[in-house]
Amino acid sequence: MNNAGQHLLSGALSGLASTITLQPLDLLKTRLQQGDGRVSGSRHAGTVVSLARDIVRRDGVLGLWRGTTATLLRNVPGVAFYFAGMNQVRTMLAGTTYFAAESERTRSGSVLPKLNKQGNLLAGAFTRVTVGALLNPFTVLKARYESNFYQYSSISSAVRSLVRAGPSELFRGVVATSLRDAPYAGIFVLCYEQLKHEISSLALPSSSAQSGLVHGISAATSGALATLATHPLDVVKTKMQVRTEAKYQGLLRSILTIQRERGLLGFFDGALLRLSRKPLNSAIAWATYEAVLMLMRDPEPREGRDST
């Protein structure tokens, strides 16, 4: 398998693993963000629990996995294209004087190209925004399928409904998504690579299991930091993609609507759920991605052998 194929396969497997594992948290986040009603901080956790209980009572336990197929349609190719595309961008930037790593970084059981901080920031932001914009129709489909505002009978009927609505609906919320994704991915990749370096400097991984632990811890921590920095735009994005009222037409109008009807706290609806999901998602996705990639590059790893 060629280099691009390896990254596509590794990314697809990581997207599959993280989606199936964490779909209930994604579903609950969408349901919590979709409404206009005020939720006080003291009632927030109780609201999440009651929401989950209502879903289970109405649709059974499997109701928590509603929208999994739509999420897979978005995440499996999305994560695959993201990882493969970012590797190409990183490889290209690593060949330049300005973005290449200043010195040989501590080995951390990773096979990814090494960049300086500016390179990591640019590679993450550019690739995430590009892939996110191309796959925005699937992001809208995912959000609406998870929402209880739309009673789709099947994925095919949901797709037909969106296609009939035209480009304005297929690319609804794309600006808000890009404004969220650019800083999220930039911050994530920058922190992820820095944390891999720092942790490996303290304890050099001597096995694939230890490398996976380094990747998982680095990704989870980076995911939490990037999530905190970008959550308000995630709320705006969800509102724009799920709600069709005039007050949610356009980025600025949606922001003003949330501020007027929900106040400042409205921009943090679902924050706890996203903070629960994103670090776990990042840890599963990146650890799986790097592990599969290392396995394909070196199918017979030996304990104590340092893979690069």
Side-chain angles (χ1 to χ4, degrees):
M1 184 181 293
N2 60 28
N3 187 50
Q6 290 177 350
H7 286 273
L8 282 169
L9 178 58
S10 301
L13 290 174
S14 69
L16 177 66
S18 59
T19 294
I20 292 176
T21 304
L22 302 173
Q23 176 63 20
L25 293 177
D26 217 14
L27 174 76
L28 292 171
K29 178 188 75 73
T30 297
R31 296 285 177 92
L32 200 61
Q33 290 179 345
Q34 69 182 11
D36 286 330
R38 292 185 175 274
V39 181
S40 65
S42 61
R43 293 174 51 209
H44 195 88
T47 300
V48 173
V49 173
S50 63
L51 182 60
R53 188 185 299 120
D54 288 344
I55 293 172
V56 171
R57 183 169 58 247
R58 185 173 58 252
D59 303 319
V61 175
L62 291 181
L64 293 171
W65 272 266
R66 176 177 169 80
T68 299
T69 302
T71 305
L72 287 172
L73 287 174
R74 166 61 181 84
N75 285 1
V76 172
V79 176
F81 292 150
Y82 173 64
F83 280 135
M86 188 166 61
N87 181 68
Q88 295 301 312
V89 173
R90 287 167 66 105
T91 300
M92 180 182 67
L93 294 179
T96 67
T97 303
Y98 184 76
F99 292 112
E102 293 90 345
S103 58
E104 184 66 24
R105 301 179 68 83
T106 303
R107 295 169 182 239
S108 59
S110 176
V111 297
L112 302 179
K114 304 297 186 292
L115 301 173
N116 60 15
K117 293 179 180 179
Q118 296 91 331
N120 285 321
L121 190 68
L122 177 61
F126 175 79
T127 310
R128 180 72 177 256
V129 168
T130 302
V131 173
L134 290 173
L135 295 178
N136 194 76
F138 292 100
T139 305
V140 176
L141 175 67
K142 169 186 173 299
R144 293 188 176 184
Y145 213 91
E146 290 171 348
S147 168
N148 59 1
F149 287 172
Y150 300 84
Q151 299 301 318
Y152 297 124
S153 59
S154 65
I155 286 292
S156 59
S157 66
V159 171
R160 286 195 299 270
S161 175
L162 267 180
V163 171
R164 283 197 301 268
S168 63
E169 290 299 300
L170 289 171
F171 290 91
R172 188 174 175 84
V174 68
V175 175
T177 301
S178 297
L179 289 174
R180 179 203 63 178
D181 285 352
Y184 178 90
I187 293 169
F188 179 90
V189 176
L190 174 63
C191 294
Y192 177 69
E193 291 296 331
Q194 189 64 32
L195 283 170
K196 279 200 307 184
H197 171 65
E198 297 298 336
I199 295 174
S200 298
S201 296
L202 296 174
L204 185 66
S206 59
S207 68
S208 57
Q210 291 177 2
S211 294
L213 183 62
V214 170
H215 299 151
I217 293 173
S218 301
T221 305
S222 302
L225 293 172
T227 296
L228 282 173
T230 60
H231 188 76
L233 281 166
D234 185 68
V235 175
V236 176
K237 184 268 311 179
T238 300
K239 286 273 201 291
M240 291 182 68
Q241 291 179 338
V242 171
R243 307 293 293 263
T244 58
E245 302 97 312
K247 61 184 178 181
Y248 291 113
Q249 299 288 334
L251 178 65
L252 181 58
R253 184 179 294 181
S254 298
I255 292 173
L256 293 175
T257 298
I258 295 170
Q259 172 62 36
R260 182 176 63 253
E261 298 188 354
R262 296 281 292 109
L264 184 61
L265 289 179
F267 292 99
F268 291 90
D269 283 345
L272 291 177
L273 282 169
R274 193 163 177 249
L275 274 172
S276 299
R277 176 189 174 277
K278 273 294 186 180
L280 289 173
N281 177 78
S282 299
I284 294 171
W286 281 81
T288 301
Y289 167 64
E290 294 230 42
V292 173
L293 199 58
M294 289 166 59
L295 182 63
M296 288 191 291
R297 297 286 180 87
D298 186 7
E300 296 180 355
R302 296 193 297 269
E303 288 293 320
R305 179 174 179 175
D306 182 25
S307 300
T308 58

